[in-house]
Amino acid sequence: MDHSVLPVILCGGSGSRLWPLSTAERPKPFHPLAGDETLLQATVRRLAPSPAAPFLAPIIVCAAAHEDLVRAQLRAIGVRPAMIVVEAEPGGTAMATACAIQAATDIAPDAMVLIAPADHHIRDSQGFRTAVMAAAGGAGDDLVLFSARPESPETGYGYMRQGRSLSGGLHHIERFIEKPARETATAMIAEGEWGWNMGLFLGRASAFQGQIVRHAPTVAARAEAAWTGAERRGSRVALAAAPGPSLSLDRAVIEHSDRLAMRTCDVGWRDVGCWNALWSASGRDPADNHLQGSATVVESSGCLVWNGGGPPVAVLGMTDVVVVSTPGGVLVMPRSRAQEVGAMSTALAVRVFNSAVDELGSAPQQGAPNDLHRPPLDLR
């Protein structure tokens, strides 16, 4: 039996770990990081309908600041979404998913819903589509997570332990751990029964709603308020404000749920969440270097050198480093510290803001006292 699948594409976040390329104004889904098309466009194409995979037109969830980018990039590939849900404020993937499930219930209440980030890379699109359709047939009332084979003790992913067999090539998830410490991740990989969480979730709208209400009732209530108070114009839904903490679906729901199944999915998946992940997902030369733009390496290996505009960049005698040059900034670091870029870029943004405030405070203002200086923000 064929099961229609309604893709929900989450297109939020700032992608701060890919600074200086990814910025709040143009985050990573809107950049061509792993091919000629942007990550958003590649995700939408991957989930296009076909006779073997009856995907429905997607729901896109995005910030108001990125709505024009979403519309322009979808027009460029000739795709009309079923709905664009515009967030009033960042709420994390738990809130985005809860609101999207409200939309899915209105659009196709009997379809399976696939929650898919807009910033992942999957090399084998056909293999992934086949896995999704097989999982849709066996999901029942469970939420299905897709699992990739761990290649290293990555601390930025969730891990799931495979349990008893279920129908449709699925397995029960015995345990789920979100973003473990490196020592824990190393031990789990050595056990051999753990897989990476690919960040894709499949299930009936009622199954998502039930698990969110059970494990994150505050998120469910906020989503209900945001959806009920939304402004609607055609296929555009602008959510009402529903303030609260930003929570990931993994932390708020998945870690606590006992209704989880998994599907192993060897399709060349990468969460392009940091520069090391991008290096891993990209084609490389015989010395394991990946170069973009006007970039040169000499006697170097394992390097990612990304020139996003500006003068040529050259790297000499280096191993396993990242060098990124864009009009917005320059980054140089070991690949092993790629997960730290997000915190660094946030601190840098605060420092820039404080400098601007200092300049404003030191400049005489006509018609106002010259006492506009404010103390810098405490970065502790």
Side-chain angles (χ1 to χ4, degrees), residues 72-163:
Q73 294 200 354
L74 294 190
R75 280 197 303 270
I77 59 174
V79 171
R80 183 186 297 273
M83 184 180 292
I84 293 182
V85 178
V86 181
E87 296 177 294
E89 67 261 312
T93 55
M95 182 67 172
T97 298
C99 291
I101 293 304
Q102 297 272 1
T105 301
D106 283 1
I107 292 173
D110 297 327
M112 302 296 289
V113 179
L114 176 67
I115 307 296
D119 55 1
H120 290 186
H121 171 66
I122 293 178
R123 185 179 64 252
D124 181 4
S125 293
Q126 185 54 50
F128 172 69
R129 292 153 64 89
T130 300
V132 169
M133 297 314 302
D141 293 324
D142 289 338
L143 299 182
V144 178
L145 283 65
F146 295 86
S147 171
R149 183 181 296 107
E151 298 176 357
S152 61
E154 175 62 56
T155 60
Y157 300 158
Y159 288 70
M160 62 189 85
R161 183 171 185 171
Q162 180 174 300

Side-chain angles (χ1 to χ4, degrees), residues 23 58 79 162 307 331:
T23 63
V79 171
Q162 180 174 300
N307 188 342
L331 171 69

Side-chain angles (χ1 to χ4, degrees), residues 279 282-291 297 299-303 320:
W279 172 85
S282 301
R284 301 189 293 274
D285 66 18
D288 264 350
N289 298 304
H290 175 75
L291 310 180
V297 292
E299 297 179 2
S300 299
S301 63
C303 298
D320 297 339

Side-chain angles (χ1 to χ4, degrees), residues 279 288-289 300-304 318-322 333-336:
W279 172 85
D288 264 350
N289 298 304
S300 299
S301 63
C303 298
L304 185 150
M318 303 297 290
T319 301
D320 297 339
V321 300
V322 171
M333 67 171 182
R335 280 198 298 107
S336 61

Side-chain angles (χ1 to χ4, degrees), residues 5-380:
V5 175
L6 174 59
V8 170
I9 299 174
L10 305 183
C11 200
S14 63
S16 58
R17 288 177 296 165
L18 281 172
W19 184 88
L21 181 67
S22 177
T23 63
E25 294 76 23
R26 195 181 184 92
K28 58 181 176 178
F30 305 106
H31 291 277
L33 296 180
D36 295 331
E37 293 184 325
T38 68
L39 293 176
L40 170 61
Q41 290 171 326
T43 301
V44 172
R45 283 197 189 276
R46 189 182 308 128
L47 300 175
S50 72
F55 290 103
L56 304 177
I59 296 171
I60 311 290
V61 183
C62 69
H66 306 143
E67 183 182 356
D68 289 344
L69 280 171
V70 168
R71 292 186 180 278
Q73 294 200 354
L74 294 190
R75 280 197 303 270
I77 59 174
V79 171
R80 183 186 297 273
M83 184 180 292
I84 293 182
V85 178
V86 181
E87 296 177 294
E89 67 261 312
T93 55
M95 182 67 172
T97 298
C99 291
I101 293 304
Q102 297 272 1
T105 301
D106 283 1
I107 292 173
D110 297 327
M112 302 296 289
V113 179
L114 176 67
I115 307 296
D119 55 1
H120 290 186
H121 171 66
I122 293 178
R123 185 179 64 252
D124 181 4
S125 293
Q126 185 54 50
F128 172 69
R129 292 153 64 89
T130 300
V132 169
M133 297 314 302
D141 293 324
D142 289 338
L143 299 182
V144 178
L145 283 65
F146 295 86
S147 171
R149 183 181 296 107
E151 298 176 357
S152 61
E154 175 62 56
T155 60
Y157 300 158
Y159 288 70
M160 62 189 85
R161 183 171 185 171
Q162 180 174 300
R164 68 181 185 276
S165 296
L166 303 172
S167 62
L170 303 179
H171 287 81
H172 176 70
I173 295 178
E174 283 190 354
R175 192 178 178 195
F176 181 91
I177 299 178
E178 174 68 1
K179 296 180 180 177
R182 180 168 293 276
E183 296 79 9
T184 303
T186 300
M188 290 190 295
I189 291 175
E191 285 184 29
E193 297 178 352
W194 294 80
W196 279 339
N197 174 27
M198 292 168 59
L200 297 131
F201 306 93
L202 177 75
R204 302 184 191 280
S206 59
F208 277 105
Q209 201 158 40
Q211 291 298 297
I212 293 170
V213 168
R214 178 182 175 187
H215 299 292
T218 303
V219 172
R222 289 169 54 204
E224 177 69 28
W227 184 256
T228 302
E231 295 182 2
R232 294 167 172 80
R233 189 179 70 247
S235 61
R236 179 184 189 269
V237 176
L239 298 172
S246 179
L247 300 169
S248 72
L249 183 67
D250 309 72
R251 290 287 194 197
V253 177
I254 301 301
E255 273 193 321
H256 311 289
S257 177
D258 58 357
R259 297 305 305 266
L260 301 178
M262 62 184 286
R263 166 87 186 196
T264 301
C265 202
D266 186 14
V267 292
W269 168 86
R270 287 292 185 277
D271 173 3
V272 191
C274 66
W275 288 109
N276 188 49
L278 180 58
W279 172 85
S280 180
S282 301
R284 301 189 293 274
D285 66 18
D288 264 350
N289 298 304
H290 175 75
L291 310 180
Q292 181 75 24
S294 181
T296 303
V297 292
V298 177
E299 297 179 2
S300 299
S301 63
C303 298
L304 185 150
V305 186
W306 188 289
N307 188 342
V313 175
V315 173
L316 171 63
M318 303 297 290
T319 301
D320 297 339
V321 300
V322 171
V323 179
V324 182
S325 175
T326 74
V330 175
L331 171 69
V332 181
M333 67 171 182
R335 280 198 298 107
S336 61
R337 302 188 66 175
Q339 293 288 352
E340 301 174 43
V341 175
M344 183 203 66
S345 67
T346 300
L348 180 61
V350 172
R351 186 172 299 172
V352 170
F353 172 80
N354 285 332
S355 296
V357 171
D358 286 344
E359 290 182 10
L360 178 63
S362 62
Q365 305 293 314
Q366 185 174 1
N370 187 20
D371 61 353
L372 297 181
H373 178 77
R374 301 176 185 174
L377 295 179
D378 187 351
L379 295 183
R380 294 174 295 176

